[in-house]
Amino acid sequence: SLYATTEYLKNMGQTTKLRRHLRLRSIIMIAFFISLAWFVFSIIDGVSGILSSDQVWMFEATMHLNNLFVILGVAILWRPNSNAKDYAMQMELPAMGDDGENELELSCVVPSAGEFDED
């Protein structure tokens, strides 16, 4: 779900991914509301005949423009760039603040190759 993904990205401090996700969500929501308005107006026009036969093509074109808006929005959002690999599998480190809340603590010791003896 969109809400769960948004909360997950907020909790994990993934600001870049969160910004991209929120932009995608806004594109989807705008397209949904345009489609909903088109649907309601088409029902009203079917009942009362507001549009003449010469104006129907403009009404039909609004859905094509809505589809174009979604396609262009997603294409611009996921355009190729040099940081594209950062969105795939890498976790973004949280921003370090002055409060010390997000400090990293390295407490494990990794053994070196010289510590292993062959018996």
Side-chain angles (χ1 to χ4, degrees):
S1 81
L2 291 175
Y3 181 75
T5 303
T6 302
E7 287 301 314
Y8 173 77
L9 291 174
K10 280 182 187 176
N11 293 337
M12 295 299 291
Q14 303 289 310
T15 57
T16 307
K17 292 178 184 180
L18 177 63
R19 186 173 44 244
R20 183 173 280 204
H21 174 74
L22 291 175
R23 288 177 183 164
L24 175 65
R25 188 173 78 172
S26 66
I27 289 171
I28 292 171
M29 290 174 69
I30 290 170
F32 174 75
F33 288 124
I34 290 172
S35 299
L36 185 65
W38 184 88
F39 179 72
V40 169
F41 188 76
S42 67
I43 290 174
I44 293 171
D45 183 51
V47 171
S48 62
I50 297 172
L51 296 176
S52 68
S53 59
D54 294 339
Q55 297 170 331
V56 173
W57 70 270
M58 290 187 289
F59 179 65
E60 296 294 329
T62 57
M63 284 311 291
H64 293 291
L65 290 174
N66 190 28
N67 293 336
L68 181 64
F69 165 73
V70 171
I71 291 170
L72 286 178
V74 171
I76 290 170
L77 195 58
W78 270 283
R79 68 187 175 274
N81 62 17
S82 60
N83 298 328
K85 65 178 171 43
D86 294 341
Y87 297 112
M89 299 295 179
Q90 297 177 4
M91 292 294 287
E92 179 182 348
L93 292 177
M96 298 295 183
D98 293 333
D99 57 359
E101 178 183 330
N102 294 327
E103 289 186 19
L104 295 176
E105 182 179 326
L106 302 175
S107 61
C108 64
V109 177
V110 178
S112 65
E115 294 178 7
F116 294 108
D117 293 331
E118 290 187 31
D119 292 329

